[in-house]
Amino acid sequence: MSAVPVAPPRRLLDAEVDGVVVRVPEGATILDACRDQGIDTPTMCYADNLTPINACRVCVVEVEGARTLVPACSRTVEAGMKIRTDTDRVRHSRRLVMELLGSSVDTSLASSDWHRWQDEYAAAPDRFGAPTDPMEAGERDRRWAGHHHGSPDPSRAETVSQPVKVDNELYVRDYGRCVLCYKCVEACGTDAQHTFAIAVAGRGFDARISTEYAVPLDVSACVYCGNCIGVCPTGALMFSSEHDMRAAGTWDEDRQTVTNTICPYCGVGCELELHVQDNAIVKVTSPTDNDVTSGHLCIKGRFGFQYVQRRKKDRT
Amino acid sequence: MDLHLMTARPTDEERRAVDGLLGPEPAMNDRVVRGGHETRADRTLLLPALHALHAAEGWISEGGLNYICERLTVPPAEAYGVATFYAMFSVQPQPKTVVHVCDDIACRIQGGNALVAELEALGADGDWTWTRSPCLGMCEQAPAIFAQRAGRPDVSLGEATVATVRAAVAPDSTVTCAGGVTAPQVWDPVVRAGLRLLRRLGEVDPSSIDAYRAAGGYAALRRAIDLGSEGTIREITDATLLGRGGAAFPTGVKWKAVAEQSARPHFVICNADESEPGTFKDRLVMELDPFSVVEALTIAGYATGAERGYVYIRGEYPLATERLERAVAEARVHGYLGDDVMEHGFRFDIELRRGAGAYICGEETALFNSLEGKRGEPRNKPPFPVTSGVFGKPTAINNVETLINVLPILELGAQGYSSVGTEDSTGTRLFCLSGHVERPGVYEHPHGVTLGDAIVSAGGVRGGKRLKAVLLGGAAGGFVGPDRLDARLTFEDARAGGYTLGSGVIMVFDEDTDLVDLVLRIARFFRDESCGQCVPCRVGTVRQEEALLRLVSGRTLGTRADELALLEDVADVMRDASICGLGQTAAAAVGSAISTFGLFDGSGA
């Protein structure tokens, strides 16, 4: 957001949310209108700094005259629109989306909001059966669209569970936690980095985030900007530092502080948030509402912090 | 964008295959730089390039894909994402010939399952392989196979046996597509004379534009030009032509909306990605009367102010593709396509694009993405295609059957056209009769014919057996019982009666049919064909299949009632919250079978 308005003023529209007349600028989404009203709306694939792709469908609302529910995150408000956010239909679909996701993906590291919504909507992911065992490494990457990969044991709910991919020193890809929100693909592509190292491959339940031929990141186009980590909502993409500490049981957010500073590497002036635990930087983020970064960084700002804390004896 | 390619290089054959489509690689030259919009516009050629590579080599290697990426300036990860979206493309080495054996609902009850079992017993022999396939659109010739043969033309064959498969895969195979005239009505000259859409089938040489013209072809385009574009659209609107693809949207309204858009260019698309299980009418029309599709799309282009039309045709339709390609070329030679159509000063040309095995690409916005060289994932609507369609431009997209209805409208006039059918459902309709009927095939009936009469027209239930169920409208439609034989087949009756005409599927099942087996196959179909974009459909179709498998095995989680409630919960979220029609209807047929026939209520079916 620029401090000086650079766009012409937008026309205001009147619409109705849960019976209350709201006035929003033209182009505002239903989600914007709901947030203006203080209506708590669950989201998963939505992020303030990315183009909404409305894939998760957990933010759906009812719009009078529409045959199906509509995604609040991407649908713009039209004059006179009558929106309901708390009908049985809306609550049912939101709950089911949470259950379907929870039954197929490990969402334990999703935001605290997500867990709160799961409780509020009384989502019970285990009603589809116990989750299946993790697949062998690479098995999901070989699944061929249109060729049936059935359920060997229908009493267990098929999942995307699989071993963590560790192929570089900076971050890991734990696709058993991937909800396929497309955020990393957007951040790697046209929404931020324009590197296009990853895309969605495969189809249906076998769809997955992949490099070409599932090659390791070091031979892919990846430039290690880490913007995919910055937008991942479920911890599927994670700093190696965080992943290793979690594995060792030493990761403790209660003991962490966040220090805001400006990246020292170049003149762009990206704002950094240094997450520090036990006097060591454990990960770096940038505020999504920052004018300079919109939350996105480059490899230097994201990962180039070791010089701050590497002791002299470590340097070679 | 800094294009990061792989290091793999193409073989000479792979390079030749891709160059065959894209032309030789431009010589490296320090003075010429290609980039920006010029190369980004090439992205639309990604799917044709993948086809060219696959058709030559039988799979898409890293070197081959890399070469395509280099030529089209596409990031390898994205090209891989596109290649792995389609069932017809392999990104792993495989035998050069792959036989797709249909085990979908119409074929599995008529020898498809037996054929699969025989092939399983046979084992692989290295030079070729086979795989189970969803509906191949040849239900009237069940069981069907489609042989994808690298280095040789693909063939699709009906009434297949192991011998058919062997003939198709033999190194010296001379097999060609059958291409039968499977529209029984045209065999009777009296009945044929009363037909509007099928009258040329089997009678007029599909490869000759002269024969087409001698049979009344291009009179409609001439009339359209006389009426002008606005007059043409008025005629279509007055005739109340409703889309035959399933959504029943008024075609005149669609065309008018596109014609009025100030954004340019406009596009028209013929949706020939007919993949709804049980549907084969568009294939037959394209195989036997391809010029009618070319003429109708030209009229659409003229009316909406589009200079380019695409026909997006199902990848598993080799004969229809060949005949349409030829028809387009003929039309071009004779001045019915090109810079000055019929010497009337308007420019229009048609490009054919092949799908590659993805049911979802029949959804209009998924089709746009596929055409643009992206994954065939549907877009959210709005914006609607009439304002933002293919390449973000105003687009009129119509199914084959809808388009060819434009011809009788212009030939007979709106009033003449509406003289058959009902007030709200004018004209005739093509029905795909398959399953246990005496004479399966495509039938043309006026709107308002009853389901029972439509079945009788195809000779009734085969072997004098009793009728158990009818699948109406395809896998996205629903099952009805014998009590619905008096249902009138019109848009308004369907809406009021809670059934759907869908794509005109009438699949008949006799008393010995195992409905549970069909329901499981339909659930599997949707699981396999979901694009995976949205959660309700991606996971919902999996949970639906699992729950059905549990019900069948009797090993339920909780009681049977719990499982049925769970199925309904999943059905509700798929119908209400999925992005597109696939997810929204993925539970329709399953649900209708359970509720109509009480499949799992303990009484058996």
Side-chain angles (χ1 to χ4, degrees):
Chain A
M1 309 307 125
S2 168
V4 183
V6 287
R10 291 192 289 173
R11 204 157 60 94
L12 294 175
L13 303 174
D14 283 339
E16 223 180 275
V17 179
D18 293 336
V20 178
V21 175
V22 298
R23 178 162 289 190
V24 296
E26 193 172 21
T29 62
I30 294 175
L31 184 63
D32 294 334
C34 289
R35 288 183 171 175
D36 278 356
Q37 292 301 301
I39 297 170
D40 185 31
T41 310
T43 59
M44 174 57 95
C45 70
Y46 175 82
D48 290 327
N49 57 345
L50 298 172
T51 314
I53 58 132
N54 55 72
C56 78
R57 318 301 282 186
V58 79
C59 68
V60 287
V61 296
E62 208 167 325
V63 170
E64 198 178 284
R67 187 171 46 86
T68 57
L69 302 177
V70 306
C73 66
S74 65
R75 183 68 177 270
T76 50
V77 175
E78 293 155 31
M81 209 179 225
K82 288 194 170 62
I83 300 154
R84 310 287 315 185
T85 71
D86 203 30
T87 63
D88 287 345
R89 261 177 98 196
V90 167
R91 292 191 62 84
H92 177 85
S93 278
R94 289 179 176 180
R95 172 169 65 87
L96 260 290
V97 166
M98 291 173 194
E99 290 178 344
L100 292 173
L101 274 182
S103 67
S104 55
V105 185
D106 178 359
T107 55
S108 57
L109 294 182
S111 69
S112 55
D113 281 338
W114 182 259
H115 290 107
R116 179 172 53 79
W117 289 322
Q118 278 197 313
D119 292 343
E120 280 176 19
Y121 284 82
D126 49 357
R127 62 194 288 230
F128 299 107
T132 49
D133 295 329
M135 256 176 252
E136 306 249 328
E139 191 184 338
R140 270 185 70 79
D141 294 324
R142 289 189 293 272
R143 289 203 159 180
W144 186 354
H147 294 241
H148 190 59
H149 305 285
S151 306
D153 174 9
S155 68
R156 301 183 70 180
E158 172 115 16
T159 68
V160 298
S161 185
Q162 59 192 299
V164 183
K165 291 187 178 185
V166 183
D167 53 13
N168 68 87
E169 292 175 9
L170 299 181
Y171 70 102
V172 302
R173 296 178 291 156
D174 185 358
Y175 286 134
R177 298 181 188 279
C178 176
V179 287
L180 217 67
C181 66
Y182 291 60
K183 283 177 177 170
C184 56
V185 176
E186 288 195 293
C188 189
T190 49
D191 271 16
Q193 193 61 29
H194 286 264
T195 288
F196 305 97
I198 47 171
V200 181
R203 196 169 79 196
F205 193 76
D206 303 327
R208 66 264 172 187
I209 306 296
S210 180
T211 57
E212 59 275 12
Y213 294 89
V215 297
L217 286 177
D218 56 354
V219 292
S220 78
C222 178
V223 295
Y224 301 98
C225 64
N227 288 329
C228 53
I229 313 171
V231 295
C232 181
T234 53
L237 302 168
M238 191 180 274
F239 276 74
S240 295
S241 45
E242 178 176 347
H243 181 255
D244 294 346
M245 287 172 75
R246 282 185 185 277
T250 54
W251 181 263
D252 184 355
E253 283 176 19
D254 292 339
R255 274 158 56 206
Q256 291 174 13
T257 57
V258 177
T259 303
N260 287 50
T261 183
I262 302 292
C263 180
Y265 278 106
C266 78
V268 170
C270 296
E271 183 173 351
L272 304 180
E273 296 166 322
L274 305 177
H275 299 249
V276 177
Q277 181 178 329
D278 304 334
N279 205 28
I281 300 169
V282 290
K283 76 172 176 183
V284 179
T285 56
S286 182
T288 55
D289 60 354
N290 182 268
D291 286 348
V292 179
T293 67
S294 295
H296 305 304
L297 295 168
C298 75
I299 182 173
K300 291 179 273 189
R302 182 82 64 184
F303 294 110
F305 53 80
Q306 290 303 334
Y307 76 95
V308 178
Q309 54 203 31
R310 195 160 286 185
R311 310 231 182 283
K312 205 166 189 177
K313 64 178 168 58
D314 296 338
R315 294 187 199 142
T316 49
Chain B
M1 178 177 66
D2 180 20
L3 191 67
H4 182 285
L5 293 168
M6 296 178 275
T7 51
R9 300 308 304 160
T11 63
D12 289 345
E13 290 77 30
E14 289 169 337
R15 190 184 291 270
R16 254 197 305 279
V18 176
D19 287 352
L21 176 82
L22 303 176
E25 196 171 13
M28 288 300 276
N29 181 337
D30 292 346
R31 290 158 197 262
V32 182
V33 175
R34 259 186 109 246
H37 279 296
E38 195 191 349
T39 51
R40 275 201 289 279
D42 290 346
R43 177 76 184 250
T44 173
L45 293 172
L46 180 55
L47 190 52
L50 291 171
H51 263 305
L53 187 62
H54 208 283
E57 297 299 304
W59 74 292
I60 293 168
S61 71
E62 295 189 30
L65 187 76
N66 205 31
Y67 184 58
I68 291 175
C69 291
E70 188 183 340
R71 293 295 310 275
L72 299 178
T73 327
V74 178
E78 292 206 347
Y80 180 76
V82 172
T84 53
F85 188 82
Y86 298 98
M88 280 172 64
F89 294 146
S90 172
V91 291
Q92 288 155 27
Q94 61 168 359
K96 281 206 158 192
T97 297
V98 179
V99 181
H100 300 252
V101 181
C102 181
D103 73 340
D104 215 325
I105 37 181
C107 284
R108 72 192 292 109
I109 57 167
Q110 297 179 86
N113 272 347
L115 179 56
V116 163
E118 282 179 74
L119 289 170
E120 255 161 9
L122 211 61
D125 85 344
D127 288 342
W128 63 280
T129 184
W130 66 276
T131 175
R132 292 164 188 265
S133 168
C135 181
L136 291 168
M138 296 188 36
C139 321
E140 85 283 24
Q141 303 169 51
I145 63 164
F146 165 66
Q148 214 183 340
R149 308 188 299 181
R152 295 183 287 172
D154 297 343
V155 287
S156 55
L157 300 163
E159 291 163 20
T161 60
V162 170
T164 320
V165 174
R166 284 194 190 284
V169 302
D172 53 353
S173 168
T174 53
V175 174
T176 51
C177 295
V181 185
T182 48
Q185 284 169 316
V186 307
W187 304 334
D188 180 338
V190 181
V191 179
R192 169 199 289 281
L195 300 177
R196 290 175 171 183
L197 307 174
L198 299 180
R199 66 195 154 97
R200 279 184 289 262
L201 266 58
E203 187 76 3
V204 177
D205 179 359
S207 64
S208 159
I209 195 167
D210 290 332
Y212 178 70
R213 276 163 44 196
Y218 280 105
L221 178 57
R222 174 89 50 203
R223 169 113 169 96
I225 291 170
D226 289 345
L227 289 170
S229 59
E230 278 178 40
T232 302
I233 293 175
R234 201 175 314 121
E235 205 70 28
I236 308 295
T237 310
D238 290 349
T240 342
L241 175 61
L242 302 180
R244 308 295 202 240
F249 192 82
T251 305
V253 173
K254 189 184 274 185
W255 287 16
K256 186 159 185 277
V258 172
E260 284 171 349
Q261 294 295 319
S262 55
R264 297 277 155 171
H266 295 176
F267 290 100
V268 288
I269 296 178
C270 170
N271 184 347
D273 191 43
E274 176 176 71
S275 318
E276 185 63 48
T279 316
F280 46 90
K281 61 192 169 72
D282 293 349
R283 174 181 58 77
L284 211 63
V285 169
M286 291 187 286
E287 284 179 358
L288 298 171
D289 196 12
F291 287 101
S292 68
V293 181
V294 175
E295 182 184 2
L297 190 58
T298 309
I299 293 169
Y302 173 70
T304 58
E307 292 186 348
R308 173 163 289 268
Y310 290 98
V311 179
Y312 187 99
I313 187 167
R314 205 178 161 186
E316 295 90 338
Y317 280 180
L319 184 62
T321 306
E322 180 195 318
R323 296 220 169 133
L324 258 181
E325 247 162 18
R326 194 187 156 104
V328 168
E330 282 269 303
R332 212 174 275 143
V333 168
H334 288 84
Y336 290 98
L337 289 174
D339 288 343
D340 187 13
V341 175
M342 286 178 90
E343 297 176 345
H344 227 278
F346 81 94
R347 182 197 307 245
F348 186 73
D349 214 328
I350 293 176
E351 195 181 322
L352 227 71
R353 288 296 180 84
R354 278 181 79 197
Y359 169 70
I360 187 57
C361 288
E363 199 280 340
E364 55 190 16
T365 58
L367 189 153
F368 299 153
N369 279 341
S370 179
L371 249 176
E372 291 179 18
K374 301 172 185 159
R375 291 164 56 80
E377 293 173 357
R379 305 172 183 170
N380 223 61
K381 292 187 272 192
F384 292 96
V386 292
T387 57
S388 179
V390 73
F391 307 114
K393 299 297 180 187
T395 304
I397 176 164
N398 292 107
N399 153 273
V400 171
E401 185 188 345
T402 315
L403 277 174
I404 59 166
N405 266 285
V406 166
L407 306 178
I409 291 174
L410 290 167
E411 286 157 10
L412 306 167
Q415 220 175 352
Y417 176 85
S418 326
S419 65
V420 301
T422 64
E423 195 177 331
D424 292 327
S425 304
T426 54
T428 58
R429 174 101 192 197
L430 299 181
F431 293 101
C432 309
L433 271 296
S434 67
H436 297 130
V437 287
E438 285 287 353
R439 289 186 300 278
V442 178
Y443 289 79
E444 179 178 347
H445 290 296
H447 273 118
V449 67
T450 64
L451 176 58
D453 287 344
I455 293 172
V456 167
S457 74
V461 181
R462 193 182 299 162
K465 287 196 181 172
R466 275 193 315 180
L467 176 69
K468 182 175 207 170
V470 178
L471 180 64
L472 203 52
F479 286 92
V480 296
D483 57 315
R484 300 302 285 272
L485 286 179
D486 56 350
R488 292 196 331 147
L489 303 177
T490 68
F491 293 112
E492 62 275 16
D493 287 291
R495 222 173 4 251
Y499 50 96
T500 169
L501 305 187
S503 51
V505 171
I506 299 177
M507 202 183 287
V508 174
F509 304 106
D510 69 24
E511 53 191 319
D512 298 331
T513 314
D514 178 4
L515 287 185
V516 170
D517 177 61
L518 299 185
V519 165
L520 278 177
R521 182 64 185 89
I522 290 172
R524 196 175 112 193
F525 174 81
F526 282 109
R527 174 182 181 157
D528 294 347
E529 296 299 331
S530 166
C531 81
Q533 188 183 195
C534 71
V535 175
C537 176
R538 180 178 76 234
V539 189
T541 52
V542 172
R543 297 292 174 254
Q544 173 173 267
E545 194 199 18
E546 288 168 352
L548 287 169
L549 286 168
R550 289 195 298 267
L551 279 163
V552 171
S553 71
R555 294 202 307 274
T556 52
L557 298 170
T559 64
R560 256 200 305 241
D562 291 338
E563 293 282 17
L564 291 173
L566 185 140
L567 271 174
E568 219 169 295
D569 275 358
V570 172
D572 285 346
V573 69
M574 288 201 287
R575 190 192 56 240
D576 271 350
S578 294
I579 292 179
C580 78
L582 189 155
Q584 287 159 17
T585 56
V590 171
S592 71
I594 292 174
S595 63
T596 309
F597 301 97
L599 286 195
F600 302 107
D601 64 3
S603 64

